[in-house]
Amino acid sequence: MENTRLKIAVQKSGRLSERSLDLLSKCGITLEKSKDQLLCRAQNFPLDVLLVRDDDIPAFIATDVCQLGIVGENVLFEAQECSENGSFSKLETLIKLGFGRCRLSLAVPNEADYNDLNFFNGKTIATSYKGLLAQYLQNQNIDAKIVTMRGAVEIAPKTHLADAICDLVSTGSTLTSNGLKEVETILNSQAVLIKNSDMPDDLNDICTRLVTRMSAVLKARSSRYIVLHAPINALDEIKTVLPGSEAPTIIPLKGCDKQVAVHAVSEEEVFWNTMEDLKAKGASSILVLPIEKMMD
Ligand code: PRP
Ligand code: ZN
């Protein structure tokens, strides 16, 4: 079983590619990298990375070309919506990765007189997300025509191909520069790690190791290590505002019997006002440090 290797599909270029490769690298996985290659081999982990178009990732996993993928929920849900033989139902989300956030929205020309969804009745909407849009319109009881485009959806209203569009928005700059305004959100999306639920045991073991590492990286990313000095008589009060105060470590300070050092792990970001509160309650020498790795 020495040669058993897991294959993961990752977007070759675009919204998710850099953060996906960065996540693998933070998991300690070193790739023999050349970006024009389709397949990169990890040197120190039984993993091969397939660099492909994001829209192809669900199909690659459903057909066992690879077992895992990093993909936007928008792409995953659209594939599941459009799947005719249910082959995408074996795709399972393992972890939400917290990057690549965007939304699938309806947008209309700036000058359009938009009040509510009824605007779309009898209108034509251009999109690359036919499945999700059709489902949404049906749920909302709107009767509109859908025109499917592979790309450059935002130019459809200008060229009179459509009255409105349904497309991904992240910063909103594509809409703005095309004279469009966002009017309804259909779906909020982020990158997720997905797998084929029919995975043989030996590959599943590798997958579990990878998921453990990824979860550790994600948890560490939002967590902070806090170090401060506290007067012993203010310790209880300081604990009330200290994030992660369930079990802070209290360390005596040599030659100082009135103060102790307090160390705590906060599973969330520590904001300036928290630090100000700590200081107001008598804490000093407050340090907030990033955590590189974290495993329970
Ligand atoms: C989406 C969408 C817009 C752009 C919007 O395409 O089609 O072109 O992003 O982003 P903005 O609000 O930041 O301007 P994407 O880059 O995801 O390409 P793809 O759908 O072809 O993968
Ligand atoms: Zn795409």
Side-chain angles (χ1 to χ4, degrees):
M1 281 299 153
E2 279 267 293
N3 293 322
T4 307
R5 294 178 74 81
L6 195 64
K7 280 203 190 70
I8 183 169
V10 166
Q11 188 183 33
K12 187 176 169 70
S13 68
R15 189 184 295 280
L16 305 181
S17 55
E18 206 176 303
R19 294 287 300 268
S20 303
L21 293 172
D22 179 59
L23 177 59
L24 291 175
S25 133
K26 293 229 163 66
C27 289
I29 294 167
T30 322
L31 297 175
E32 268 166 37
K33 199 156 99 202
S34 101
K35 265 210 123 187
D36 24 286
Q37 258 178 336
L38 186 66
L39 195 71
C40 298
R41 202 181 148 86
Q43 290 158 335
N44 52 358
F45 198 84
L47 183 78
D48 293 327
V49 181
L50 203 61
L51 296 168
V52 293
R53 286 195 52 218
D54 62 344
D55 311 65
D56 293 331
I57 292 177
F60 279 140
I61 302 174
T63 56
D64 285 327
V65 173
C66 27
Q67 297 80 34
L68 290 179
I70 295 178
V71 74
E73 291 175 302
N74 53 304
V75 170
L76 171 66
F77 296 155
E78 176 65 14
Q80 288 174 328
E81 203 60 65
C82 292
S83 111
E84 273 154 22
N85 52 10
S87 59
F88 292 118
S89 58
K90 35 177 194 176
L91 301 187
E92 187 186 313
T93 296
L94 290 170
I95 332 176
K96 293 191 181 226
L97 300 172
F99 61 85
R101 286 183 194 274
C102 59
R103 50 201 186 270
L104 182 64
S105 289
L106 283 161
V108 300
N110 285 331
E111 61 281 8
D113 194 7
Y114 185 88
N115 290 314
D116 57 35
L117 271 177
N118 289 311
F119 171 90
F120 295 104
N121 269 317
K123 296 277 199 316
T124 301
I125 309 171
T127 191
S128 314
Y129 294 85
K130 187 173 192 272
L132 289 170
L133 176 59
Q135 183 62 49
Y136 177 82
L137 294 174
Q138 193 189 329
N139 290 344
Q140 303 287 336
N141 262 319
I142 300 293
D143 185 21
K145 189 176 164 210
I146 300 175
V147 175
T148 307
M149 292 174 71
R150 296 292 304 251
V153 173
E154 60 277 0
I155 63 159
K158 249 186 295 195
T159 58
H160 304 291
L161 264 168
D163 305 296
I165 69 164
C166 169
D167 199 12
L168 294 185
V169 183
S170 95
T171 60
S173 68
T174 304
L175 292 185
T176 308
S177 59
N178 285 281
L180 299 167
K181 58 181 177 190
E182 187 178 0
V183 291
E184 307 287 342
T185 299
I186 292 186
L187 173 82
N188 282 301
S189 173
Q190 61 174 294
V192 286
L193 176 73
I194 58 173
K195 76 161 188 173
N196 186 325
S197 48
D198 299 334
M199 207 187 289
D201 283 350
D202 49 350
L203 288 174
N204 212 17
D205 290 347
I206 306 173
C207 175
T208 305
R209 280 176 66 203
L210 182 64
V211 168
T212 305
R213 288 195 192 185
M214 277 192 190
S215 307
V217 171
L218 296 177
K219 195 166 170 201
R221 188 172 284 167
S222 58
S223 300
R224 298 290 180 269
Y225 195 78
I226 307 167
V227 181
L228 55 82
H229 287 177
I232 290 176
N233 58 16
L235 199 52
D236 287 338
E237 255 219 278
I238 286 174
K239 277 194 204 165
T240 62
V241 290
L242 189 67
S245 59
E246 302 79 47
T249 308
I250 313 291
I251 306 164
L253 291 169
K254 202 171 162 83
C256 171
D257 51 6
K258 291 199 174 61
Q259 293 221 84
V260 286
V262 179
H263 290 208
V265 172
S266 162
E267 293 202 355
E268 61 204 68
E269 263 212 73
V270 179
F271 296 103
W272 282 107
N273 51 9
T274 306
M275 294 178 69
E276 286 157 3
D277 286 353
L278 289 167
K279 194 170 160 60
K281 294 197 185 308
S284 59
S285 306
I286 309 169
L287 297 180
V288 177
L289 310 163
I291 295 176
E292 195 179 272
K293 294 187 184 69
M294 202 168 162
M295 201 178 280
D296 285 333

